[in-house]
Each structure stands twice: as C-alpha cells, then as structure tokens.
Amino acid sequence: MNVDMTTTLPATASQATPKSKASVDYQSFLKLLIAQMKNQDPTQPMDSTQYVAQLATFSQVEQSVQMNTKLDSMLQSSALAQADAIIGHTITSADGKTTGTVSEVKLTASGLTAVLNGGGEIAVGPGVTVGPVAA
C-alpha cells in the first residue's frame, strides 16, 4: 500500500529569509517524520506516543524561537527608550578622552552609538558616563 502524504503551507511560509533558514519549520518536521516512518523496521514499528512526543518537543522549540524573537524586539524598544533619554545630555567615553553633548543616537547591531555636537561618536556601553543636560 503506497500512501502519498503531502502538506501545503501558506504562501508566506515558503519565503525564506537568512534568519529563517537556520530554524526548522513544520514542513521540515513533517519531511523528517515521513522519512522516519518510511525507514522504520516493519517488524518493530515505532510507538505512536513517540511521534506525539517528537511533535511536542518540536512545538516547544518553535515557541522558544518565537519567544526569543519577541525578546529581541523588546530589547530594541528598550534601547530606543535609552537613546531618547540621553539626547541633549553630556556624555564621556569609558577612557575619559572623549566628551561632548549628544545630538543624536544611532541604534546599530552592536548597540547604541551617541553622536556628539562636534561630530564625534561614542559607543554607549560599560564605563560610559552620562551627565546632566548641557546648558
């Protein structure tokens, strides 16, 4: 008996981004499950509870990935709130060599960078001192 098992995903699910290529989706899980079913020993078939346990584990992993994405979004929002709070303040670099008034703040992949009125830049991080609003 030959059974053809196919699934259809929404159009948006097939669009791969560099970030989503690293994660496993339900389509991949189903392919693995079908391959596992095809290649199992017919004299000792896999217990159906093992399939359910695999699906539950897969769901937990997917939820963890979604939670990480939401946490990243929250961290970006927090960084933007911090950026707004230091504009106009005096800032001094960790080594004490650069100081000035913050005119704007850039949010990059490495974190916040304060742009000074004179054009200098200071990476906002450990050891950086933020003073009161410049007069």
Side-chain angles (χ1 to χ4, degrees):
M1 178 175 177
N2 188 5
V3 177
D4 183 63
M5 300 177 86
T6 59
T7 59
T8 305
L9 289 175
T12 56
S14 65
Q15 298 172 350
T17 62
K19 200 173 211 180
S20 68
K21 286 183 181 179
S23 65
V24 179
D25 58 3
Y26 277 112
Q27 185 70 25
S28 299
F29 174 77
L30 290 174
K31 286 179 183 179
L32 288 171
L33 182 66
I34 291 169
Q36 188 177 18
M37 291 173 78
K38 284 182 181 178
N39 296 313
Q40 69 180 337
D41 182 2
T43 61
Q44 295 178 340
M46 191 172 183
D47 185 19
S48 63
T49 56
Q50 290 176 326
Y51 291 124
V52 172
Q54 288 176 359
L55 181 59
T57 301
F58 180 77
S59 295
Q60 288 174 341
V61 169
E62 184 184 36
Q63 288 175 358
S64 295
V65 168
Q66 289 177 357
M67 188 179 339
N68 284 342
T69 302
K70 289 179 182 179
L71 285 173
D72 285 342
S73 176
M74 287 176 60
L75 285 172
Q76 285 181 343
S77 295
S78 174
L80 287 173
Q82 288 176 344
D84 183 43
I86 66 172
I87 294 175
H89 287 257
T90 302
I91 189 168
T92 305
S93 63
D95 60 7
K97 293 181 181 179
T98 308
T99 189
T101 303
V102 179
S103 62
E104 65 181 75
V105 180
K106 296 179 187 176
L107 179 59
T108 62
S110 60
L112 294 176
T113 301
V115 179
L116 307 178
N117 281 340
E121 293 186 355
I122 298 175
V124 178
V128 170
T129 306
V130 178
V133 175

